[in-house]
Amino acid sequence: MNWVIFVGVIIILAISIPRITSNEARYLSSPEEEKEVAQLEGDFRKRSFRPLDKFMVQGYQTKPNGHEWNSVKQKSIKNYRIIYYTFFGIRYMEIEVS
């Protein structure tokens, strides 16, 4: 019985630590920017995540990553770096979206 409780606590910690420590919007400057990045992240998740990725990713963190010049639209586009975390807050993957 003690082992079951111990294993249960370890599983809960493995899943909850990345969700507690990674604050998705901490580095963004406005609620509008937060909504835009949440949409970009959601689109990436739908298009690119395999079943293993969906299981492994337990949290994510978003940071601004500068600007890039779009020569087709002739304007500057803001880039964001999204870091995904797996169990116990270990980095799983890092992407850049704009």
Side-chain angles (χ1 to χ4, degrees):
M1 185 64 177
N2 289 339
W3 284 104
V4 173
I5 293 171
F6 179 72
V7 170
V9 168
I10 295 296
I11 290 171
I12 289 171
L13 287 175
I15 293 172
S16 64
I17 287 174
R19 293 172 191 251
I20 292 170
T21 59
S22 65
N23 180 0
E24 297 91 9
R26 175 174 46 199
Y27 297 100
L28 303 178
S29 59
S30 69
E32 294 82 20
E33 193 175 28
E34 291 174 21
K35 287 179 187 177
E36 180 183 337
V37 173
Q39 182 179 1
L40 289 170
E41 192 274 335
D43 292 344
F44 175 80
R45 206 178 268 247
K46 286 178 191 172
R47 283 188 326 234
S48 304
F49 270 21
R50 299 170 300 198
L52 177 63
D53 295 331
K54 290 179 183 177
F55 171 73
M56 293 296 289
V57 168
Q58 300 298 317
Y60 70 93
Q61 184 178 58
T62 305
K63 296 180 182 180
N65 197 32
H67 289 79
E68 177 181 293
W69 182 257
N70 185 339
S71 58
V72 176
K73 294 183 179 180
Q74 297 297 313
K75 68 177 189 175
S76 181
I77 298 174
K78 193 162 187 179
N79 290 331
Y80 300 94
R81 181 175 303 265
I82 302 176
I83 303 167
Y84 290 98
Y85 294 96
T86 187
F87 303 105
F88 295 110
I90 300 167
R91 279 186 181 199
Y92 181 66
M93 79 170 82
E94 199 171 299
I95 65 158
E96 190 172 303
V97 295
S98 55

